């Protein structure tokens, strides 16, 4: 389809709107993950709606020593990707269009939630992110805005900002897109050498190891609840090969819905092994958190949690996460 390139908010506001406007915000260097966001936006907007993709490398999100200057600018290629995925408009404003008069003196602060994990590693990053998201929401005036779940903390903070500050927009999260080897799609993957990429696979492998441990624990507890809390429970579990659980089946049934510590340990084992590779993986954090505030969960937690990891391989910093649900119905 034909995709229109616009540079100013005035041009965008002049367009006639007949249906829902869905916006996908990017910093360019579009890949299949972005294309998935755009295709989802197209489905949400429908044939009578409009899909707008923003391309803006936000200087407020880059701290000292980060990669603002070398962040890829590929607008021509971005237009092609956006058009094939179903975008009507690519809105690519200049810095002075978004920040007239220079750096804004008034900004949105992410608060305590923005100081954890990514915020601790990149001070001020989320303040800059929320400030530009707020401005782009005003400039593009969408009915719905879509963001990838790979940036789970970012998505959570945007949702909190929209709720706390009464933005009249729907926020939709779209599942992480992965390459065939499991690596989460990212514009920064292009910086990895073949050897660095092999090491980087440990991020997704650690998350999957944690998920496997979690699934095994939940399945074991479900089985334990199927028989009475007597000697028969141990015998039943033993009969299906769960000899370790049979030693204390009653304790298993009465335990917390899941063991957060065991999930973390399973993931950490993979990351520790990757730290001994050449080149090594340099872990920033591994965390299992409540998505409402990104604080660490305990073994008595029930509900959805985010298992998140960040690490550096060579000069490239990567993040990834998955969602786990703790708690099995009685």
């Amino acid at each position: 389809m034909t995709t229109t390139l616009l540079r100013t908010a005035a041009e965008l506001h002049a367009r006639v709107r007949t249906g829902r406007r869905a916006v996908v915000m990017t910093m360019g260097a579009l890949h299949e993950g972005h294309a998935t966001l755009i295709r989802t936006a197209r489905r949400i907007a429908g044939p009578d709606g409009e899909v707008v993709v923003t391309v803006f490398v936000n200087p407020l999100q880059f701290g000292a020593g980060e990669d603002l200057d070398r962040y890829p600018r590929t607008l021509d290629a971005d237009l092609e990707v956006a058009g094939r995925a179903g975008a009507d408009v690519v809105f690519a404003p200049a810095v002075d269009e978004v920040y007239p008069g220079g750096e804004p003196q008034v900004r949105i602060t992410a608060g305590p939630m923005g100081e954890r994990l990514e915020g601790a590693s990149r001070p001020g990053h989320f303040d800059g992110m929320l400030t530009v998201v707020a401005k782009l929401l005003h400039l593009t005036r969408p009915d719905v805005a879509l963001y990838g779940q790979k940036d789970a903390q970012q998505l959570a903070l945007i949702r909190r900002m929209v709720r706390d500050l009464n933005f009249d927009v729907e926020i939709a999260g779209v599942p992480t897109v992965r390459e065939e080897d499991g690596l989460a799609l990212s514009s920064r993957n292009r910086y990895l050498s073949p050897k660095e990429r092999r090491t980087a696979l440990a991020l997704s492998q650690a998350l999957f190891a944690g998920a496997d441990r979690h699934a095994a624990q939940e399945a074991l507890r479900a089985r334990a609840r199927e028989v009475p809390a007597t000697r028969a429970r141990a015998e039943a579990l033993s009969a299906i090969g769960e000899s370790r659980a049979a030693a204390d089946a009653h304790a298993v049934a009465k335990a917390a819905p899941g063991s957060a510590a065991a999930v973390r340990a399973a993931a950490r084992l993979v990351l520790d092994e990757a730290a001994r590779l050449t080149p090594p993986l340099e872990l920033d954090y591994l965390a299992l958190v409540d998505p409402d505030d990104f604080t660490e969960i305990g073994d008595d937690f029930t509900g959805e949690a985010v298992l998140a990891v960040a690490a550096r391989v060579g000069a490239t910093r990567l993040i990834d996460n998955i969602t786990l649900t703790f708690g099995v119905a009685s």
Side-chain angles (χ1 to χ4, degrees):
M1 67 181 297
T2 302
T3 303
T4 302
L5 174 64
L6 301 179
R7 295 287 192 173
T8 69
E11 293 173 318
L12 185 58
H13 297 168
R15 290 177 64 86
V16 176
R17 296 177 61 169
T18 58
R20 301 186 81 198
R21 175 177 285 175
V23 166
V24 175
M25 296 183 186
T26 83
M27 292 207 299
L30 302 189
H31 50 63
E32 180 57 27
H34 296 110
T36 298
L37 284 165
I38 297 166
R39 287 192 291 268
T40 304
R42 181 77 271 163
R43 289 195 295 272
I44 290 174
D48 298 325
E50 182 179 60
V51 174
V52 176
V53 176
T54 70
V55 175
F56 181 68
V57 181
N58 178 32
L60 298 190
Q61 288 176 237
F62 292 81
E66 292 191 329
D67 52 1
L68 173 61
D69 291 338
R70 74 174 188 136
Y71 197 89
R73 273 82 165 173
T74 57
L75 184 57
D76 289 342
D78 294 342
L79 281 165
E80 293 183 10
V81 173
R84 288 196 301 269
D88 299 291
V89 173
V90 167
F91 176 53
V95 173
D96 59 4
E97 175 75 10
V98 178
Y99 299 120
E103 251 187 51
Q105 297 300 302
V106 177
R107 308 186 188 196
I108 291 177
T109 177
M113 184 170 154
E115 297 171 357
R116 300 172 185 132
L117 301 188
E118 284 299 290
S121 298
R122 306 174 67 191
H125 167 73
F126 284 128
D127 293 354
M129 179 276 293
L130 289 179
T131 298
V132 78
V133 167
K135 289 179 74 68
L136 288 172
L137 287 174
H138 290 313
L139 292 172
T140 60
R141 303 175 182 175
D143 299 289
V144 57
L146 296 88
Y147 303 89
Q149 291 177 357
K150 183 179 80 70
D151 297 295
Q153 193 172 3
Q154 171 179 283
L155 175 58
L157 280 162
I158 292 170
R159 282 176 166 153
R160 178 59 67 101
M161 177 186 73
V162 165
R163 183 168 66 249
D164 288 354
L165 301 184
N166 301 105
F167 280 72
D168 186 19
V169 62
E170 175 188 347
I171 302 298
V174 178
T176 300
V177 178
R178 298 185 181 278
E179 301 191 42
E180 289 186 3
D181 58 10
L183 189 67
L185 277 173
S186 169
S187 301
R188 293 177 176 175
N189 290 354
R190 69 183 67 193
Y191 301 145
L192 297 169
S193 70
K195 287 184 177 179
E196 288 172 342
R197 185 184 177 90
R198 285 194 291 272
T199 297
L201 293 177
L203 274 78
S204 57
Q205 291 167 352
L207 297 179
F208 299 152
D212 288 345
R213 176 65 61 86
H214 171 66
Q217 290 175 161
E218 293 293 340
L220 179 57
R221 285 175 175 81
R223 289 173 177 177
R225 290 187 179 93
E226 292 174 358
V227 292
T230 64
R231 182 176 180 81
R233 181 195 303 275
E235 293 171 351
L237 287 169
S238 183
I240 60 172
E242 300 285 1
S243 57
R244 290 182 62 190
D248 194 3
H250 182 69
V252 169
K254 295 299 183 183
S259 173
V263 171
R264 292 186 187 96
R268 186 59 187 255
L269 184 63
V270 175
L271 298 169
D272 287 346
E273 291 175 353
R276 295 188 287 270
L277 297 176
T278 303
L281 181 141
E282 299 174 21
L283 182 64
D284 187 346
Y285 62 75
L286 172 69
L288 185 56
V289 298
D290 183 337
D292 285 342
D293 58 10
F294 270 67
T295 57
E296 292 279 357
I297 69 168
D299 285 343
D300 59 347
F301 180 85
T302 59
E304 281 198 353
V306 174
L307 180 61
V309 62
R312 189 174 296 275
V313 181
T316 304
R317 187 175 183 277
L318 301 170
I319 64 172
D320 201 352
N321 72 85
I322 58 173
T323 299
L324 303 175
T325 301
F326 286 76
V328 178
S330 301

